[in-house]
Amino acid sequence: MNTEQFKEFGYAAVNYIANYVDTMRTRSVLPDVEPGYLYDKIPDEIPETGEDWRELLKDFDEIIMPGITHWQSPRFHAFFPTGSSYPAIIGEMFSAALGIVGIHWAASPACTELEVKMMNWLGKFMNLPEELLNSSKGPGGGVIQNSASESTFLCLLAAKAKSIRRIKKLHPELNEDEISSRLIAYSSDQANSSVEKAGILGSIKMKLLKTDHDGNLNREVFLEAIKNDYNAGFFPCYMVATLGTTGICTSDPFDIIGSICKTYNMWLHIDAAYAGAALILPEYKYFLKGVEYADSFNFNPHKWLLVNFDCSALWVKDANDLANALEVSRIYLKDNCEKENTQLPEYRNWQISLGRRFRALKLWFTLRSYGKKGLQEHIRNHINLANLFHTLVENDSRFETVCPARMGLVCFRLKGDNKYTEQLHEKLMSRRNIYMIAATLNGKFILRFVVCSRLSIEADIRYAWQEIVSQADLVLSNNPCLLNGHSTNTN
């Protein structure tokens, strides 16, 4: 493909993308395909000669698009938002065009330095403690990772290495393998599945502590677990607290958990993958109570800040802890550029992979295009729309909300036996007009309604509610008691 062909293809692709975004509401959010639908449509081998870009775009439209779940649709209400915006798309295009591999500062100085600046921008916008930022005089700093899952795992590795060194000094009679086999980590039973997976990958037992009726982890449960494990010969070393749990978006008390972690020399990691973005709003600053105890803090701009995946922001109080766990030196990695009197990190020692993409570019484009006010308006709009949906649920006596509306999430169910809500979910998914996922809380089967798309407006919320109500009517048609309790007020 030469330059002229690239221009033609590029113009056509941009037009296709823009048209896709503008017509998203006309598409069923879930695809109507069976497993294996694509396999026989693709040849078994690479073509002998290159094909015209028009054929590629045609096949993309006819083969790929029918199998796409439309995550950016205003009728997608599952999981959590997955960010996308035109500035982020353009930033990703430039990153792809440059094609750099940022293995160290000299490999592309702008790649490292822009990332340092963007992590400072974000950290200051969120009012994170100064010691977590690259701009501080201490060893702290921020770095962009692939995902919150990876951040949790990286910090577990750092905590593990740090704990082994500390315990070795206290118990010189133990070797590293013996210490490692007795390390233990904690989180709540509401934590994301990636927390448990981090324990598996890091070969550390991850104990998920039971939460109360509202999904909160309390002081007594945490302390009892630590004391019992100490008495059993374990060494507690790592705690993952959550700001915005996956199921119901509840949050752990960082001040209480943090003080306990400090007492027992445990690493505190805060996983704020979704809800952390709300810290850019002054009205949610109270969530920062106790954050000063955190050894690491992570949230995903690629969820709620309009930056496309992957872009996960991680800050650590002491970046040396990451380097001590991860650094491997080779002569070809020697960076000969003079950097005295600067605070420029070698990010390869802060991550699993050696190379890294220029992810700061799409973050830079997005933050500048929207500005503080635009990003705050975006999140407030989602919260307001979620509150509208919460009101609609509360006005229908057949339904119940199972917790307050939190951020852009509403958790609700049909009253009565779980089977009614299960059947409702099945009907909604079979129709493919809206997409929600289920969860459980205190033995109740619940539905999670999340405002996800940057395109969402009030009409989309009312559309989703009418879709839910229409299918609830069918589910409850054989239950006159519940059906007669229906309030027709949907305003």
Side-chain angles (χ1 to χ4, degrees), residues 131-132 258 268-270 290-297 316-317:
E131 60 186 335
L132 288 175
L268 173 60
H269 175 69
I270 295 179
V291 74
E292 65 273 9
Y293 288 106
D295 295 281
S296 50
F297 182 98
V316 291
K317 188 171 290 183

Side-chain angles (χ1 to χ4, degrees), residues 348-362:
R348 70 175 183 276
N349 299 324
W350 298 32
Q351 62 182 31
I352 293 174
S353 62
L354 173 59
R356 56 193 296 100
R357 297 192 303 112
F358 200 171
R359 288 175 293 215
L361 204 55
K362 60 188 175 185

Side-chain angles (χ1 to χ4, degrees), residues 102-383:
I103 59 175
H104 52 40
W105 178 86
S108 257
C111 181
T112 295
E113 296 194 22
L114 185 63
E115 185 159 335
V116 169
K117 204 70 173 182
M118 290 304 97
M119 293 303 292
N120 285 338
W121 274 18
L122 277 178
K124 291 176 181 178
F125 194 15
M126 299 167 70
N127 271 356
L128 293 181
E130 178 70 19
E131 60 186 335
L132 288 175
L133 307 185
N134 295 293
S135 56
S136 70
K137 295 181 179 179
V143 58
I144 301 176
Q145 302 288 352
N146 294 326
S147 66
S149 306
E150 189 170 304
S151 295
T152 300
F153 175 51
L154 279 171
C155 293
L156 180 142
L157 295 179
K160 179 180 180 180
K162 188 174 185 178
S163 296
I164 289 174
R165 291 192 301 271
R166 176 179 59 82
I167 295 169
K168 181 66 176 173
K169 291 179 179 178
L170 296 173
H171 299 280
E173 74 280 6
L174 299 177
N175 62 42
E176 289 190 9
D177 289 340
E178 289 173 318
I179 296 171
S180 179
S181 67
R182 291 162 61 179
L183 294 177
I184 190 166
Y186 306 90
S187 194
S188 84
D189 58 11
Q190 294 295 310
N192 187 270
S193 62
S194 62
V195 175
E196 189 173 0
K197 188 173 184 178
I200 295 172
L201 294 173
S203 299
I204 291 183
K205 177 179 175 60
M206 180 68 69
K207 181 171 286 189
L208 301 181
L209 305 176
K210 185 173 179 57
T211 52
D212 62 21
H213 186 270
D214 296 319
N216 298 316
L217 179 63
N218 63 55
R219 180 178 183 274
E220 290 69 28
V221 170
F222 188 26
L223 271 176
E224 182 181 6
I226 292 174
K227 292 176 181 178
N228 288 342
D229 289 330
Y230 260 123
N231 292 336
F234 288 100
F235 299 118
C237 74
Y238 187 57
M239 172 67 186
V240 181
T242 306
L243 172 56
T245 56
T246 302
I248 59 174
C249 202
T250 189
S251 298
D252 295 319
F254 304 142
D255 53 341
I256 295 172
I257 291 174
S259 63
I260 295 172
C261 288
K262 183 177 181 180
T263 299
Y264 289 92
N265 287 308
M266 295 172 60
W267 183 297
L268 173 60
H269 175 69
I270 295 179
D271 175 12
Y274 163 65
L279 295 177
I280 70 172
L281 302 178
E283 57 266 36
Y284 284 98
K285 296 300 184 189
Y286 66 89
F287 277 120
L288 286 168
K289 184 180 180 181
V291 74
E292 65 273 9
Y293 288 106
D295 295 281
S296 50
F297 182 98
N298 169 251
F299 93 105
N300 292 338
H302 66 232
K303 278 193 169 68
W304 219 4
L305 282 192
L306 301 169
V307 181
N308 53 294
F309 187 86
D310 55 346
C311 184
S312 186
L314 170 67
W315 290 269
V316 291
K317 188 171 290 183
D318 189 345
N320 294 317
D321 292 330
L322 287 177
N324 289 337
L326 303 172
E327 182 174 6
V328 176
S329 297
R330 293 289 189 273
I331 191 170
Y332 52 80
L333 297 177
K334 183 177 176 61
D335 188 352
N336 294 318
C337 293
E338 191 70 29
K339 298 198 298 294
E340 279 85 356
N341 301 318
T342 70
Q343 293 177 304
L344 296 175
E346 292 293 12
Y347 278 138
R348 70 175 183 276
N349 299 324
W350 298 32
Q351 62 182 31
I352 293 174
S353 62
L354 173 59
R356 56 193 296 100
R357 297 192 303 112
F358 200 171
R359 288 175 293 215
L361 204 55
K362 60 188 175 185
L363 186 56
W364 188 43
F365 280 27
T366 303
L367 297 181
R368 290 184 65 189
S369 294
Y370 284 89
K372 291 182 179 180
K373 290 185 178 180
L375 294 170
Q376 289 171 333
E377 288 171 1
H378 166 68
I379 291 181
R380 285 194 179 109
N381 178 54
H382 276 196
I383 293 172

